[in-house]
Amino acid sequence: MICARCHHFAAAPGATLCHRCLGDSPEPAPAFGSTPGLWLRSPVGLGWAAAVLLGVVMAADLFAVWADFLRYDVMGDLMDGETGAGVFLRADRADALVRLAARAHAVSMVACVIVYLCWFQRVRANAQVFDPLRQSMSPGWAIGGWFVPIASLWFPRRITLDIWDASSPWGTARSHKLVNAWWTLWLVALFAGRLASAGSGDDLGVAWDQAVSVEMLIAHALDLVAAVLAVLLVVRLTRMQHAKAMAGPAPAGL
């Protein structure tokens, strides 16, 4: 466990503070890398917060999928010629649920993005301490890479792979399958969402088109799967960094 006060050194056996914070003999800093002025900081708290908020996004996606299905179902009844107060009431209710789902998803995404980027910046800084030579891009791209047009299609994946490799146990290499699967689903969900938004526009009345309704349902379903993979990635990478920090400096010869 990392010291609960300074977050720089391993806690003393049976304690929550390191030897230095306890007032014992000074403990040398772990010589993971050669970047001056950087310290290991625990990613566990931010990792769990990011995972929880990704779970909230998943719940919003599930709600959106359900709302999209209800609208698709009532749309089929209207296209079949069904009339009456009942079917129009269902249509109004489906429309209201879709609007509510859109707002819930937007709010959950904003909160999740803020915390996720804080976690991502933390694990990037730790990777610089573990192995600075593996980092192919400057630290600023850990945030900026998500927002620069065109570059955002591959910079975050490249940075994540660098962090992943630097956080792997000493002398071993972890498979990139999870990172690649997450990024692939993220891009597919992103483009599917933009396609559905372009078809429906800002007016949900336009979305009362069966093809557009299916596109929106698929986009939310893909976003749900991408969020599941993102949770797995956050948990796995957080655990890898915590375990490596506890293992101490690299063994001689590595």
Side-chain angles (χ1 to χ4, degrees):
M1 182 176 69
I2 294 178
C3 176
R5 177 180 296 170
C6 68
H7 303 290
H8 292 165
F9 308 114
T16 59
L17 303 180
C18 65
H19 289 289
R20 179 171 293 180
C21 291
L22 287 171
D24 299 340
S25 57
E27 184 176 313
F32 289 106
S34 57
T35 304
L38 285 181
W39 301 87
L40 286 178
R41 299 183 64 190
S42 174
V44 175
L46 284 173
W48 280 113
V52 168
L53 286 174
L54 281 165
V56 175
V57 172
M58 290 163 54
D61 281 323
L62 279 173
F63 180 36
V65 168
W66 176 62
D68 290 336
F69 179 78
L70 289 179
R71 184 174 59 183
Y72 175 81
D73 183 57
V74 71
M75 188 186 308
D77 293 338
L78 290 171
M79 293 179 66
D80 289 339
E82 185 174 338
T83 59
V87 70
F88 289 115
L89 178 62
R90 286 170 53 211
D92 290 340
R93 185 176 301 165
D95 188 61
L97 286 173
V98 168
R99 292 178 183 276
L100 178 60
R103 287 192 287 268
H105 188 265
V107 171
S108 63
M109 278 296 295
V110 169
C112 182
V113 165
I114 293 172
V115 176
Y116 181 90
L117 289 179
C118 290
W119 168 82
F120 196 66
Q121 182 69 28
R122 174 70 57 83
V123 294
R124 171 61 180 83
N126 286 344
Q128 187 76 20
V129 177
F130 287 138
D131 193 346
L133 297 181
R134 283 187 180 270
Q135 308 311 305
S136 60
M137 307 187 72
S138 63
W141 284 112
I143 301 298
W146 293 90
F147 300 101
V148 176
I150 308 300
S152 61
L153 298 178
W154 71 85
F155 274 28
R157 173 186 173 274
R158 179 66 265 167
I159 297 169
T160 303
L161 288 175
D162 291 342
I163 298 170
W164 187 272
D165 290 339
S167 305
S168 296
W170 298 115
T172 64
R174 292 283 178 88
S175 170
H176 294 165
K177 290 182 179 179
L178 178 57
V179 178
N180 290 331
W182 157 70
W183 190 246
T184 300
L185 260 296
W186 163 254
L187 289 180
V188 172
L190 180 65
F191 285 116
R194 290 184 178 179
L195 178 63
S197 297
S200 63
D202 295 327
D203 182 6
L204 286 177
V206 180
W208 283 92
D209 175 275
Q210 204 161 28
V212 174
S213 183
V214 171
E215 289 174 0
M216 295 182 70
L217 193 155
I218 292 174
H220 286 128
L222 288 171
D223 194 68
L224 172 61
V225 177
V228 171
L229 292 178
V231 170
L232 296 177
L233 176 71
V234 168
V235 172
R236 182 79 59 82
L237 189 49
T238 299
R239 287 176 175 174
M240 285 167 59
Q241 288 207 343
H242 183 72
K244 191 163 188 173
M246 294 300 97
L254 289 180

